[in-house]
Amino acid sequence: LAGVAYVAKHVLGNPVFASFLFIGFVGPAVIAAPLWGRVAKKRGKRRGFMFASLVMAAGLLANVVTISGHWAPAIVASVVIGIGYAGIQLFPLAMLPDIAAYDAEVSGKNRIGVYSGVWAGLELLGFALGPAIFGLLLSMGGYVSGGGAQPASAGLAIVIGISVIPGVLVLASVLLIRRYRLDDQLKGTARPEESSSLP
């Protein structure tokens, strides 16, 4: 999102496209949210989270085609990203209470405040790092401050910043999501000694 305005102005050639990209992102996200809820009920939260992450990563990586300067592929990529984004917002917030409840059963302590605080802190860190990394890419690409004519390298840096970098980060997160096992335990697949302490 930090790069949408840059893409519209310097890659697609018209700042107005920023609004279309944003709508293409937010609209599908709103529509997809309840659909992801159905996925959670049928397939579990972990699988849903992983699938949503893969969908979003696919959209992000597809954003590479934006370098062509054509707006249509950029809109399509935004739609796919929005669909995946809805899932990666929904599933963690649904999984967090499960984790806290399970921890309370196991430890005997209610630490939902700690979990929520750590989550909120890391989320804010991500919000800060995103623009910082994007700004670093712009600098490396020779972006001219002030928004005037830009070298080709700046356009490339912008596209990488909205496609490859976030796409790779989302794919890396899937490796961590795979370690989540609470879905399996809640379904009764835990070992007998574990199942007695399930929420």
Side-chain angles (χ1 to χ4, degrees):
L1 288 177
V4 167
Y6 292 89
V7 171
K9 184 174 182 179
H10 301 297
V11 180
L12 300 179
N14 191 335
V16 174
F17 284 127
S19 297
F20 292 110
L21 291 173
F22 188 74
I23 293 171
F25 171 83
V26 174
V30 172
I31 295 172
L35 300 178
W36 284 122
R38 294 181 184 179
V39 172
K41 290 180 181 179
K42 290 185 178 181
R43 300 295 182 181
K45 296 172 185 176
R46 180 187 63 193
R47 286 186 179 179
F49 195 1
M50 291 177 64
F51 184 51
S53 297
L54 292 174
V55 169
M56 186 173 180
L60 288 166
L61 294 174
N63 247 341
V64 170
V65 301
T66 305
I67 195 68
S68 68
H70 298 299
W71 60 269
I75 297 292
V76 172
S78 292
V79 170
V80 176
I81 294 168
I83 293 171
Y85 180 79
I88 70 167
Q89 289 295 300
L90 175 83
F91 290 112
L93 294 177
M95 294 158 77
L96 186 61
D98 292 345
I99 295 170
Y102 177 72
D103 175 68
E105 288 287 339
V106 173
S107 68
K109 300 177 181 179
N110 184 352
R111 296 186 285 196
I112 183 63
V114 175
Y115 281 100
S116 298
V118 170
W119 172 267
L122 291 174
E123 191 172 41
L124 289 174
L125 177 63
F127 289 155
L129 284 177
I133 293 173
F134 188 74
L136 179 62
L137 284 171
L138 290 180
S139 177
M140 293 173 61
Y143 179 79
V144 178
S145 181
Q150 303 296 330
S153 57
L156 179 61
I158 291 170
V159 172
I160 290 174
I162 64 159
S163 59
V164 178
I165 300 298
V168 169
L169 290 174
V170 171
L171 287 175
S173 74
V174 173
L175 299 177
L176 299 176
I177 298 167
R178 290 180 60 190
R179 299 181 62 185
Y180 180 84
R181 292 290 181 265
L182 195 52
D183 272 3
D184 298 333
Q185 294 178 0
L186 290 174
K187 289 179 182 177
T189 58
R191 296 189 302 273
E193 65 267 27
E194 293 177 328
S195 59
S196 62
S197 61
L198 292 177

